[in-house]
Amino acid sequence: EPIRLTLEKGGSTIPDNPHEGEEFGYVISGSVEVHIGKEKYAVGEGESFYLYPDEEHYISSPAGAELIWVSTPPSF
């Protein structure tokens, strides 16, 4: 399930509870912070992230960003 996501300055996704599957993201422009449990990882333009969603997780962007986010299996 691919999603093209735009986060406005200060925006974030809704925290997602642990679930089965895997997630991948690629930052097209701007930068994001990937929150996994109590950890936070900075991901910049042209970089990617990959995670097993076995902890609560979400993405935020203090400055705004556009990214591609892919989840498997699809959640909607």
Side-chain angles (χ1 to χ4, degrees):
E1 171 182 33
I3 299 168
R4 187 169 183 154
L5 177 64
T6 301
L7 291 173
E8 300 296 328
K9 182 178 179 179
S12 71
T13 62
I14 296 170
D16 197 5
N17 291 321
H19 57 84
E20 290 186 27
E22 301 169 55
E23 297 182 9
F24 166 84
Y26 176 79
V27 180
I28 298 168
S29 64
S31 63
V32 298
E33 294 175 340
V34 179
H35 304 260
I36 305 169
K38 295 182 184 208
E39 300 293 323
K40 178 172 63 172
Y41 304 92
V43 184
E45 184 173 321
E47 296 181 323
S48 60
F49 61 89
Y50 182 87
L51 64 102
Y52 291 100
D54 56 356
E55 295 186 66
E56 182 180 85
H57 56 286
Y58 67 98
I59 299 171
S60 65
S61 183
E66 186 169 355
L67 61 143
I68 299 292
W69 189 357
V70 180
S71 301
T72 185
S75 59
F76 6 141

